[in-house]
Amino acid sequence: MGRFHRHDDDTGHGHGHGHGHEHEHDGGHSHEPEADLHGDHSGYATGADRIVVLERIFDENDRRAAENRERLDRAGVLTLNLMSSPGAGKTTVLERTLAAVPDPGRIGIIEGDIETSIDADRLSAVGARVSLLNTANGFGGECHLDAPMVANALDRLDLEGLDLLFVENVGNLVCPAEFDVGAHRSVMVYAITEGEEKPLKYPVMFRAVDAVIVNKMDLLPHLDFDLELFEKNLQTVNPGVETIQVSARTGTGMDAWLAWLRRAER
Amino acid sequence: MHELSLCNSIQQVVNRAAGDRTVTVVHLRLGRLRQVVPDTLRYCWDLVTADSPLAGSELAIESVAVSARCNACAAGTTIADTLVLLCCECGSPDLELLTGEEFLITTLDLADSGADLG
């Protein structure tokens, strides 16, 4: 059940009401016909004192995300949105991934960071094509990447020269789950140092992904971490999601991750 | 945390819909599964609209509860105060969401109507 399959327009209910919706304080949430909720409704002026808009706030982002996805499809580039909390090991997983493939120059990385090019420099050093997005602007930096930002980053990559593209999102377990960037698949890197309860605390993120890389497994002997409980919590919020246990530091388990990547399809 | 960028999106939609008319209230419908904090959204709205034609306008946020249909036992269920989605009847996680992910602008109240908009 992906977060990015949106139902934020009440379309579960198909009452056939028309546009007489300016008197809507009837306690109902479900009277818009589905067809009314797409596109630009700025022309629906139904009275002098009130305008009916009925526009989803993510519409613009989702439209741009769909454009990104079409562009990546045309270029034949499988794209993964990689999300995690700060310090879970996204960049180290990517370094290991690049080191394991024969031609890392066929892998692109869109690197989202609030400030600095530290991660981008690490990944360029191992051969990836990196497009850096610093999100610091205005009030101190965005907490996520959105589809227009990723579109800008795509402009700076030679997509025809790529087979695989990672969007390394800003480290954050809340906001990135809300914004479709146009990737084909979403993957989380979760570190066992984060505790077993994270899927229950951040279910929207954990529900939005196709696979969870369980990282820092080399630390298991030193932690009071209950792997079975974590797995149970994860399956509660995202039934059937695949987990891949790795240590990006030692390289253990990376074969299973690479096998998952080879199976992943656009 | 992303309320600021959401307010920018809301402002764009409102400006496009309202044109040169003065908006007093922006009515939003917000599902509980959306990771949006209403108080923060209102605070950011004031920041984003300051020194703009929308300065002083209000966000009226209607919260929508999470409801789902259970694919395991066919119960209709309303889930309150939790983001973890399990059927209240049988505990199954195999649910089809009906409401709770809404996030849309429904209507705009305009100034100078002279009417009580209640």
Side-chain angles (χ1 to χ4, degrees), chain A residues 1 3 5-10 12-13 21 24-25 28-30 32 37 40 42 45 48-58 139 142-144 172-175 177-179 200 203-204 207 236-237 239, chain B residues 1-2 4-6 9-10 12-13 16-18 21 27-29 33-36 47 62-65 83-86 93-95 97-99 101-111 113 115 117-118:
Chain A
M1 179 161 39
R3 174 53 139 178
H5 304 281
R6 294 194 187 287
H7 301 280
D8 48 357
D9 54 3
D10 296 352
H13 306 269
H21 202 55
E24 65 157 320
H25 293 289
H29 303 304
S30 54
E32 297 82 15
L37 293 162
D40 179 0
S42 56
D49 56 356
R50 180 169 278 193
I51 306 171
V52 178
V53 181
L54 292 180
E55 184 158 334
R56 290 175 294 180
I57 288 149
F58 282 99
F139 293 92
E142 283 288 7
C143 42
H144 60 275
N172 180 341
L173 289 183
V174 179
C175 312
E178 298 285 333
F179 292 84
L200 303 180
V204 177
R207 270 202 300 142
T236 298
V237 301
Chain B
M1 283 182 269
H2 48 295
L4 204 55
S5 47
L6 295 176
S9 299
I10 295 168
Q12 285 172 19
V13 174
R16 184 149 37 84
R21 291 166 289 188
H27 293 269
L28 302 178
R29 190 169 296 160
L33 278 177
R34 287 279 152 207
Q35 301 184 105
V36 176
L47 288 179
E62 176 191 6
S63 180
V64 182
L83 289 170
V84 176
L85 302 178
L86 298 174
D94 184 12
L95 298 179
L97 275 179
L98 300 177
T99 62
E101 294 203 300
E102 297 81 355
F103 191 23
L104 65 160
I105 301 171
T106 53
T107 56
L108 309 177
D109 290 352
L110 301 175
S113 68
L117 301 175

Side-chain angles (χ1 to χ4, degrees), chain A residues 127-138:
Chain A
R129 310 286 171 193
V130 180
S131 183
L132 175 66
L133 280 176
N134 278 142
T135 63
N137 60 358

Side-chain angles (χ1 to χ4, degrees), chain A residues 12-18 30-34:
Chain A
H13 306 269
H15 301 269
H17 290 226
S30 54
H31 298 273
E32 297 82 15
E34 182 169 0

Side-chain angles (χ1 to χ4, degrees), chain A:
Chain A
M1 179 161 39
R3 174 53 139 178
F4 303 135
H5 304 281
R6 294 194 187 287
H7 301 280
D8 48 357
D9 54 3
D10 296 352
T11 53
H13 306 269
H15 301 269
H17 290 226
H19 297 302
H21 202 55
E22 58 270 39
H23 308 292
E24 65 157 320
H25 293 289
D26 56 5
H29 303 304
S30 54
H31 298 273
E32 297 82 15
E34 182 169 0
D36 283 1
L37 293 162
H38 301 286
D40 179 0
H41 297 271
S42 56
Y44 289 173
T46 56
D49 56 356
R50 180 169 278 193
I51 306 171
V52 178
V53 181
L54 292 180
E55 184 158 334
R56 290 175 294 180
I57 288 149
F58 282 99
D59 266 358
E60 174 66 11
N61 184 74
D62 290 354
R63 190 180 62 74
R64 299 291 298 274
E67 286 175 6
N68 289 349
R69 202 153 21 237
E70 283 166 24
R71 193 170 162 188
L72 293 160
D73 281 339
R74 278 197 302 276
V77 182
L78 169 68
T79 302
L80 305 178
N81 183 10
L82 198 59
M83 301 180 283
S84 80
S85 45
K90 289 188 299 301
T91 309
T92 308
V93 166
L94 288 177
E95 275 180 324
R96 280 276 176 193
T97 306
L98 291 163
V101 299
D103 188 0
R106 303 284 302 173
I107 298 182
I109 296 179
I110 292 176
E111 181 67 48
D113 254 325
I114 290 177
E115 200 70 73
T116 83
S117 62
I118 293 170
D119 287 356
D121 296 343
R122 279 172 62 185
L123 296 170
S124 295
V126 279
R129 310 286 171 193
V130 180
S131 183
L132 175 66
L133 280 176
N134 278 142
T135 63
N137 60 358
F139 293 92
E142 283 288 7
C143 42
H144 60 275
L145 298 182
D146 63 22
M149 288 187 230
V150 168
N152 288 337
L154 291 178
D155 290 341
R156 296 195 294 270
L157 287 168
D158 171 23
L159 296 182
E160 300 301 326
L162 300 180
D163 300 319
L164 179 63
L165 174 65
F166 291 99
V167 178
E168 185 177 346
N169 221 308
V170 179
N172 180 341
L173 289 183
V174 179
C175 312
E178 298 285 333
F179 292 84
D180 186 0
V181 295
H184 301 100
R185 295 277 177 271
S186 296
V187 175
M188 265 192 85
V189 178
Y190 159 86
I192 60 173
T193 47
E194 298 179 59
E196 302 89 349
E197 79 294 343
K198 282 293 178 297
L200 303 180
K201 287 183 172 173
Y202 300 94
V204 177
M205 168 76 72
F206 279 90
R207 270 202 300 142
V209 298
D210 299 294
V212 177
I213 297 173
V214 180
N215 191 24
K216 307 195 184 180
M217 285 298 291
D218 53 310
L219 295 179
L220 191 60
H222 310 289
L223 302 172
D224 295 326
F225 180 76
D226 185 337
L227 195 56
E228 268 181 44
L229 178 59
F230 167 75
E231 184 73 29
K232 177 170 167 282
N233 290 341
L234 177 62
Q235 294 297 328
T236 298
V237 301
N238 190 348
V241 68
E242 197 165 340
T243 56
I244 304 153
Q245 297 176 11
V246 309
S247 163
R249 190 177 73 82
T250 66
T252 306
M254 290 302 289
D255 286 349
W257 160 238
L258 294 169
W260 187 91
L261 268 182
R262 279 190 287 271
R263 287 198 308 276
E265 291 173 358
R266 275 189 284 125

